[in-house]
Amino acid sequence: MEATNIVPTSNGSRCVFFNTQSEDYRCVVILSIKRATGTFSLFGCVFMLFVIWLLRRYQSLAQKMILCLTVAAFFDSVAYVMGETHPEGTLCDFQAWWLTYFDWSALAWVCLITLNLYLNLVREMSTNRYEMLYHLMAWGTPLVMASLPLLKGYYGPAGAWCWITDDHVAWRFGIWYVPLFSLIFLMICCYARIICVANKRMQSWLGTFNPERERRKVSLAEEIKPLKWYPSVYLLVSIFPLINRLHNAFYPQDPSFSLTLLHVLSAPLHGLANAFVFGLDRDWWNLLSPTGMQLALQSRLCDRTQIGEYYLGAVRYTQADLEDLSDDDDTNVLFYSPDMTLKGRGS
């Protein structure tokens, strides 16, 4: 989460990490890369929010969770482009708290998206009633994790942005890196189980050809395909910061410029990486054609009574026959199997 030590002095800034002036090309490159990656992530989040608003992708619980993830990633990107290193004080503490809070919030939403899919598909549970609990966990847990170093007074100048200072390396790993990679490992295990169950379900749908059933098989695969990349995204953008922090812990007097560069190149990329995963959904690419954009904008800005957008309803399972689905309300079946039993709905 933190990068090379670049702290201001009364005569300007000095890159003490490399024990050189801030004009050193290494410091200039690191700061430029940090600003660029943070800005790219910011624009990626803005693009995602625009598409979600335009196409009304905030109706079902799963879509709402993607929206919340995007909001958290947006504010996380803001922290990375807040400016240069601030001197120790209230503003520096606020930047460090902000960065820790929204890093944790984005990670929490990725974990909850994985958990929600696991409960839907593997445990065959309806999760709509957990929406408020999800919000409490995704916004409340980061508040605790971000506030602990603040109460201890461990925030301060820590490189190109403020975070936990160099004097508290154990807190860096305890607050962020150890929980991060533990959760990534658990998410990978969850997705392995989800994919295994999904493959078995699709193979079990045999017998007389049914177009509706075949469509649901394709829908099942398409829904899982983009979601499984979210933990991979966090693994990819966090591996170099972890390596750099380990190197700094073991060799505090011998920092590596290449590792530091990879650190600031990857750490702010959460928002852009999430936008890339969001773009794996082929459905909304089709809706973003010139004609689709025109209709969506007309629906949003002009005549809302005549032009409407189809949207997914709440995710649920059903044991009823396919022919009975048309009698339902505004819910929509995301995953279907004749052997499934929806728990908690009296199916």
Side-chain angles (χ1 to χ4, degrees):
M1 250 195 230
E2 50 78 40
T4 183
N5 295 328
I6 304 169
V7 297
T9 64
S10 58
N11 298 324
S13 59
R14 180 175 178 82
C15 182
V16 297
F17 193 89
F18 301 111
N19 194 26
T20 183
Q21 295 296 327
S22 61
E23 291 78 9
D24 189 311
Y25 80 95
R26 295 177 297 178
C27 300
V28 173
V29 168
I30 286 171
L31 287 175
S32 299
I33 292 295
K34 186 266 295 187
R35 285 192 290 263
T37 51
T39 302
F40 289 150
S41 286
L42 198 61
F43 281 122
C45 292
V46 170
F47 174 72
M48 286 181 65
L49 291 172
F50 171 74
V51 173
I52 291 171
W53 169 82
L54 181 65
L55 302 182
R56 292 185 172 91
R57 291 297 183 95
Y58 47 77
Q59 304 295 335
S60 69
L61 176 59
Q63 291 173 351
K64 291 177 182 177
M65 295 174 76
I66 296 295
L67 172 60
C68 291
L69 169 61
T70 307
V71 171
F74 172 83
F75 286 108
D76 186 47
S77 300
V78 170
Y80 284 105
V81 294
M82 265 184 184
E84 308 304 335
T85 300
H86 302 289
E88 186 173 356
T90 303
L91 185 58
C92 184
D93 290 344
F94 173 74
Q95 185 190 42
W97 180 90
W98 180 293
L99 182 65
T100 306
Y101 178 83
F102 286 107
D103 267 336
W104 258 105
S105 183
L107 176 62
W109 279 115
V110 173
C111 293
L112 290 173
I113 289 170
T114 304
L115 175 63
N116 189 68
L117 186 59
Y118 178 86
L119 293 176
N120 285 163
L121 183 63
V122 178
R123 301 296 299 275
E124 303 175 16
M125 294 174 58
S126 174
T127 55
N128 289 332
R129 63 183 182 275
Y130 298 146
E131 182 175 355
M132 292 304 299
L133 179 60
Y134 286 163
H135 280 282
L136 180 63
M137 295 174 63
W139 303 116
T141 301
L143 181 62
V144 175
M145 301 302 287
S147 298
L148 286 176
L150 180 64
L151 296 175
K152 290 286 187 177
Y154 293 162
Y155 285 141
W161 47 78
C162 293
W163 194 48
I164 299 174
T165 60
D166 296 335
D167 298 329
H168 307 287
V169 174
W171 273 76
R172 291 176 177 173
F173 286 90
I175 286 293
W176 180 244
Y177 289 111
V178 172
L180 170 66
F181 282 88
S182 299
L183 291 172
I184 288 175
F185 174 76
L186 292 176
M187 283 190 287
I188 292 174
C189 292
C190 282
Y191 274 109
R193 176 62 176 165
I194 289 169
I195 293 172
C196 180
V197 171
N199 289 335
K200 289 181 179 179
R201 296 250 168 87
M202 287 187 289
Q203 292 173 3
S204 68
W205 291 339
L206 303 176
T208 305
F209 176 78
N210 187 314
E212 183 68 15
R213 182 172 296 173
E214 292 299 319
R215 186 186 69 81
R216 299 211 183 278
K217 290 170 61 176
V218 174
S219 176
L220 173 59
E222 291 298 321
E223 286 290 339
I224 295 175
K225 187 182 300 182
L227 293 179
K228 70 182 180 182
W229 288 109
Y230 280 110
S232 301
V233 159
Y234 268 77
L235 178 62
L236 291 176
V237 301
S238 301
I239 189 68
F240 289 120
L242 174 65
I243 294 174
N244 189 42
R245 292 299 95 226
L246 289 172
H247 182 274
N248 289 343
F250 286 106
Y251 306 99
Q253 303 302 322
D254 185 26
S256 169
F257 170 70
S258 58
L259 288 178
T260 303
L261 181 61
L262 291 171
H263 185 158
V264 298
L265 177 64
S266 58
L269 283 180
H270 293 145
L272 184 63
N274 288 337
F276 173 78
V277 174
F278 188 72
L280 295 178
D281 187 349
R282 298 178 182 178
D283 291 338
W284 69 264
W285 275 114
N286 295 331
L287 295 174
L288 289 179
S289 63
T291 302
M293 288 281 289
Q294 181 181 1
L295 292 175
L297 286 173
Q298 288 176 353
S299 175
R300 271 297 186 183
L301 305 177
C302 300
D303 189 356
R304 300 185 181 182
T305 62
Q306 297 181 7
I307 302 175
E309 295 288 335
Y310 171 78
Y311 58 85
L312 291 176
V315 177
R316 70 175 181 83
Y317 294 89
T318 180
Q319 196 178 20
D321 295 332
L322 289 173
E323 290 77 13
D324 295 335
L325 296 177
S326 59
D327 298 331
D328 260 336
D329 49 15
D330 62 343
T331 57
N332 191 54
V333 177
L334 178 59
F335 306 121
Y336 174 81
S337 171
D339 299 327
M340 287 184 182
T341 301
L342 176 61
K343 300 179 181 178
R345 291 194 51 153
S347 298

